[in-house]
Amino acid sequence: MRVTVSPEQRGRVLVIGARTACEALASRLSQSGFQCAVAEDLEGLPQAGGPPPEVILLATAARRAAETLEGIRGNAQLRNLPVLADASRSRSSESMKKLAVDGFIHGSEEMVPQLEAALRAVRLREMEERTRLRMGMLLEITEAATSSLELDAILRIAVDKVGRVTGSDRCSVVLVEGSAAATGTVVATQEDPSLVQLEIEISRYPELRRALETRQPVLIERAENDPLMAEVRPNILAVGVRSVLVQPLVCQDELLGALFLRHSRMGTTFGRDEQAFAQAVAAVLANSIRNARLHTAVKRKREDLELAYVERYRELSDANRRLKELNRLKDEIIAVCSHDLRAPLQVLLGHGRLLLEGQISAEQKMSVEAMIRQGRKILGLVESLLEKGKGEAARLSIEPRKLDVSLLCKESTTELNILASQRGITLRAEASESLMLIGDEVKLHEVLQNLITNAIHHARDAGQVVVRAVRLTRPDGDAVKITVQDDGPGIPPDEVHLVFDRYRHGPKGTGLGLAICKEFVELHGGEIWAENSPEGGCIFVFTLPMAREALRKAQPVVVAETQQPRVLVVEDEAEIAAVLAEVLRSRYRVEVARDGQEGVAKARNLRPDLVVMDVFLPKLDGLEATVALKSSTDTAHIPVILLSAHQGVAEKVRALNLGAVDYMSKPFNAMELLNRTERALKAPPSEREILNEAAAVVLRSGSDSGTNLYDKRGLLVRLEVEVSKSRRYHRHMSVAVLRPERAQADMPKGAAEVMRKLLRVPDAVAHMGSGVLAIMLPECDVEGARAVLHRLLPELQASTGIVYQQAVVDVSQDSDPVDRILERLGAPIAG
């Protein structure tokens, strides 16, 4: 605040002494530009209401001056003012020198310089005090703005501090929405708290309108004659407005509002220091307001996304229900069709057998045998149709056995000779040696049937189709190479890579049949491709790994059951679990678990050599189960292979970061599964230690390294996620806090072991400090949580020797933030 003083006035002086002499002295000082007041003693001081003096001049004898000085130092309003003594009026200079005054005046020529020096010292001290006050208040406002306080509380603190520093009788914050806003909202005010959230018309406040339009501060020093205030002058004079300062709130070129200050006392205005202070405060408040608006926008967007997610979840649930119903209808249709196909086939096969038993010629016998053979093939295809109707999981199933591919090729060509002869096409098989492998005869026969039929359709009239089977030598083991070649027009070069596309159909029927061939070949660990022959026509080629030499021996080596590694399969789909168990049982002992919790429990009890686990499991998914296994010293060494239908790289990296040694996408083939299983079991210990250490780094984030339980930060992160889910899907979740009767220096010994033993895998425990334990119990209401504590507390108290007090709340029914809930239960995050 700056007080307006006439140019000729140098300062305010209080002269104390004999009235006649003092009035004469005051008259001379007034002529020199000082504003003087006269009093004979302290009882005769001027009445309060006028401006206080800045300097006191004692114009009395030494003894009376000492008495007056003692009274001044005891007066709260005067004790800090400088006091000068007029020594020329005292007869005893020695007595005068003993006075504890700020200066002595020995003659009239020293009067004015001494007073001016005292006034300069006073004003300098006042300026320092005001600067110190402004800096302190600005620091407090900045600390509030950077704290976790709500915006309303920050603005209330700011207007209070600014009002105290500037001495204004009104300090308000007005917020607007954009530069062209016609109205503003008073969100905080020093004068009257009831005016908060008051909406005002900006056009009725010309000084506010000017500041918002120009984005520059507006200072009205004398409202009674300032041209800008002409349109509202009658209104402001009625309420005593004298001076106004409006500081716009701008952050990153975004206009947010204004800081409004007003003086109503006569002769006061806002000096440069007050203007600079208001500008600094406005910068801090603008940043806080912008951050609060961004936070509100993000929160609103998150709520909209969560709502959209819930709606989308409902839509997908409905769609899934409809798809299940359609799948059921499909199964019924396939079952009816299969039954209707089986019945006539059985009749045909029965009559064929009767013909074979009768008296027929050799040529007729060959035809009847071909009919019976083809009837059996059709019956096998009907069974295959049933299998395909069961979905993707069933197609993963194979029935492996030892078979000769050369013989299979010859049988397939023999069966299709009649079809080839109808177009005059020569069909022959070239397979000179026996080529043994382990595979599913039905599926491989279907592959050959599809490829040969496709070749017959595309071969030229009176042309030829050749099926060849040869041994292919490879560093990683021999393989069988089968080629089916025709002499037709071939495939356009730009379409060769598309022939196995499930949804591509060529002019003569290629499409689904070739896609199924690709699935079946890859299921056996082989490869299939198409290429154009240099001589013309097209060649379809596929390779299959041959059986190992040991399998071709008459007396295979049998490994004792007790020496085989144990593999735990964790899969909730019964069909896929059966496939996995069937494939792995050829080399290993296999155990099966149906969900994540059962898998973790069996892993701890059986200590398998390997765990093969699906990612999406009920009760506890594969990723959480992997975390549980890697968190325990008993199971951390067990390698884990994760399976999922999600083939994304991010999922794979996430799985490996959690400690899994490998990741396979569905659908998979049997040979690849066996190869990866063998590789995981034979991995050097050093590699497993590296993976386990990487997993431990992930698991230690937010965990207490001494107890292997969560720390405060870890529990907060977990609680935020689980509380959000419980409230969104209206599921119970309880939080319990156990407080020891006496504060403990550290985690009570033995408490961690009791917690890990008695709580479920989804539950989470954290040591909050001073022996306080916080427990998160998903899918558990208050009554269930109390039952858990009733079982837990006796053993915990027996193990630690500490008596605990409990507090429980169902957070799904509580709208408070997580940290506030914990604080209410007696486990504050701070401290």
Side-chain angles (χ1 to χ4, degrees), residues 291-425:
N291 289 341
R293 287 185 174 181
L294 289 175
H295 177 73
T296 302
V298 169
K299 184 178 179 181
R300 188 180 300 114
K301 184 66 174 177
R302 184 182 65 188
E303 291 173 351
D304 292 343
L305 288 174
E306 288 183 351
L307 181 61
Y309 172 81
V310 172
E311 292 297 327
R312 184 60 175 163
Y313 180 81
R314 289 173 181 166
E315 293 174 4
L316 291 175
S317 297
D318 292 341
N320 188 48
R321 179 183 52 78
R322 292 193 297 270
L323 286 174
K324 286 181 177 179
E325 179 65 20
L326 291 174
N327 190 56
R328 185 186 63 79
L329 293 174
K330 177 206 71 174
D331 291 342
E332 290 179 0
I333 292 170
I334 288 177
V336 171
C337 291
S338 299
H339 176 270
D340 292 346
L341 287 172
R342 273 200 192 100
L345 280 173
Q346 294 293 349
V347 174
L348 287 173
L349 290 173
H351 283 284
R353 284 191 293 270
L354 289 175
L355 286 173
L356 277 179
E357 294 172 0
Q359 298 295 325
I360 56 176
S361 65
E363 186 176 340
Q364 290 173 333
K365 183 178 181 181
M366 185 182 299
S367 296
V368 173
E369 286 176 345
M371 290 170 56
I372 293 175
R373 192 164 51 246
Q374 291 305 312
R376 287 173 179 166
K377 299 298 182 185
I378 295 174
L379 188 59
L381 291 175
V382 171
E383 300 295 339
S384 179
L385 176 63
L386 278 175
E387 180 183 339
K388 291 182 178 63
K390 295 176 184 176
E392 190 70 30
R395 283 205 294 276
L396 295 176
S397 176
I398 61 174
E399 297 182 6
R401 71 178 187 86
K402 188 176 178 182
L403 59 92
D404 187 346
V405 177
S406 295
L407 183 58
L408 192 60
C409 291
K410 292 173 183 178
E411 289 180 354
S412 299
T413 54
T414 302
E415 293 164 358
L416 294 173
N417 255 324
I418 296 176
L419 179 63
S421 63
Q422 291 176 356
R423 295 186 56 210
I425 294 172

Side-chain angles (χ1 to χ4, degrees), residues 553-614:
K553 293 182 180 179
Q555 299 295 332
V557 178
V558 179
V559 180
E561 179 72 16
T562 56
Q563 295 176 353
Q564 287 183 317
R566 188 194 300 269
V567 177
L568 174 62
V569 173
V570 187
E571 171 60 66
D572 60 316
E573 294 287 344
E575 295 86 353
I576 301 179
V579 173
L580 289 168
E582 180 181 355
V583 172
L584 293 171
R585 202 167 278 128
S586 63
R587 297 184 186 178
Y588 313 106
R589 290 177 295 161
V590 178
E591 301 288 341
V592 179
R594 300 302 183 189
D595 58 62
Q597 284 187 11
E598 184 184 353
V600 172
K602 282 195 171 183
R604 288 173 176 166
N605 292 332
L606 301 175
R607 306 290 174 84
D609 300 284
L610 175 70
V611 175
V612 178
M613 181 159 49
D614 187 26

Side-chain angles (χ1 to χ4, degrees), residues 16 41-42 58 60-74 99:
I16 299 178
D41 50 33
L42 293 181
L58 298 179
T60 62
R63 193 173 76 179
R64 189 172 180 184
E67 295 174 355
T68 304
L69 182 61
E70 184 178 356
I72 291 172
R73 297 311 183 200
L99 295 176

